[in-house]
Amino acid sequence: AQSVSQHNHHVILSEAASLELGCNYSYGGTVNLFWYVQYPGQHLQLLLKYFSGDPLVKGIKGFEAEFIKSKFSFNLRKPSVQWSDTAEYFCAVNEGGSYIPTFGRGTSLIVHP
Amino acid sequence: GAGVSQSPSNKVTEKGKDVELRCDPISGHTALYWYRQRLGQGLEFLIYFQGNSAPDKSGLPSDRFSAERTGESVSTLTIQRTQQEDSAVYLCASSLGAFLPRNTQYFGPGTRLTVL
């Protein structure tokens, strides 16, 4: 069965620090990749996604993620975080022909002002 | 229009009781998903509805769990004879179509279920 690993469960940064959250998956075939974010008190929402084309994907609020097929990874990055980026971040993967995503357990990011 | 709504927002019940959770998807969204999120865990797929097709129930953890959807509108998730391990946040999501890369999932606020 497909699995998704988010190795960093809790990350604490100061404003302006750079961010990289890891995401690795186990499926060897065609995949679609997603990062979701849940800000405090808000619904889970899509941050960015990859399904074809340029493996470097730009999302909202200055986030980006790079799909590295050889490493089975889809790490999330932001060069300079803000206090408002404090949230829970979830990586999700679905196999090319499937409509059911598998989610990682999430990373809690706290950004100190 | 409005986003995905869920009710109740919180539910506390006693072990052995039945509970019913409701999800109102975004109007026109044919795909509807139910997930469970236990404390400190990722989202666990439960069931998927797509239009008038038979639902995919492969994620339901036991026969105590069931769900229905009326056409392309409201869905209810029923848990019978609740157990303490059923305590979790139950999330509903809807999307315009089934192919996820082209159809964004929109999530509701969730129902926090606590089984005493």
Side-chain angles (χ1 to χ4, degrees):
Chain A
Q2 171 80 263
S3 66
V4 179
S5 298
Q6 291 182 245
H7 307 293
N8 315 103
H9 297 152
H10 300 279
V11 174
I12 301 174
L13 296 172
S14 297
E15 275 195 319
S18 64
L19 170 72
E20 180 160 2
L21 301 182
C23 174
N24 289 88
Y25 60 92
S26 63
Y27 183 65
T30 302
V31 291
N32 305 304
L33 302 154
F34 310 82
W35 276 98
Y36 288 86
V37 61
Q38 187 168 24
Y39 297 104
Q42 296 188 25
H43 303 185
L44 196 65
Q45 60 183 286
L46 183 68
L47 194 57
L48 50 77
K49 62 184 176 183
Y50 169 84
F51 60 96
S52 67
D54 190 343
L56 184 61
V57 181
K58 306 283 188 183
I60 60 172
K61 303 186 180 184
F63 284 91
E64 65 179 30
E66 185 175 12
F67 170 46
I68 302 179
K69 189 173 182 179
S70 60
K71 294 185 178 180
F72 299 89
S73 70
F74 190 55
N75 292 354
L76 181 70
R77 301 194 294 246
K78 186 171 183 178
S80 177
V81 294
Q82 301 173 311
W83 173 77
S84 58
D85 293 325
T86 293
E88 190 88 16
Y89 292 83
F90 294 90
C91 179
V93 179
N94 81 297
E95 300 168 24
S98 170
Y99 43 76
I100 300 172
T102 301
F103 284 79
R105 61 183 290 178
T107 297
S108 172
L109 172 66
I110 296 175
V111 180
H112 289 301
Chain B
V4 178
S5 61
Q6 293 186 244
S7 61
S9 55
N10 279 286
K11 177 72 177 178
V12 180
T13 191
E14 294 179 346
K15 179 182 172 181
K17 301 281 189 183
D18 297 352
V19 295
E20 193 171 277
L21 312 180
R22 177 187 170 107
C23 171
D24 282 272
I26 294 172
S27 178
H29 280 195
T30 61
L32 187 147
Y33 299 75
W34 281 99
Y35 296 92
R36 177 171 70 177
Q37 185 179 19
R38 288 174 163 150
L39 191 63
Q41 302 297 315
L43 278 69
E44 176 189 2
F45 165 75
L46 296 178
I47 188 168
Y48 163 78
F49 295 91
Q50 169 58 32
N52 294 319
S53 302
D56 183 333
K57 305 179 181 180
S58 61
L60 294 178
S62 78
D63 59 8
R64 296 187 295 105
F65 288 71
S66 63
E68 292 183 348
R69 187 179 185 193
T70 308
E72 293 183 355
S73 61
V74 171
S75 176
T76 55
L77 176 69
T78 302
I79 308 173
Q80 296 178 310
R81 305 180 303 281
T82 52
Q83 303 293 312
Q84 288 182 330
E85 63 262 27
D86 299 334
S87 295
V89 175
Y90 289 82
L91 289 167
C92 175
S94 71
S95 61
L96 202 54
F99 184 55
L100 285 183
R102 298 196 188 277
N103 294 286
T104 299
Q105 284 193 327
Y106 293 87
F107 284 83
T111 293
R112 183 175 298 278
L113 175 66
T114 303
V115 182
L116 303 176

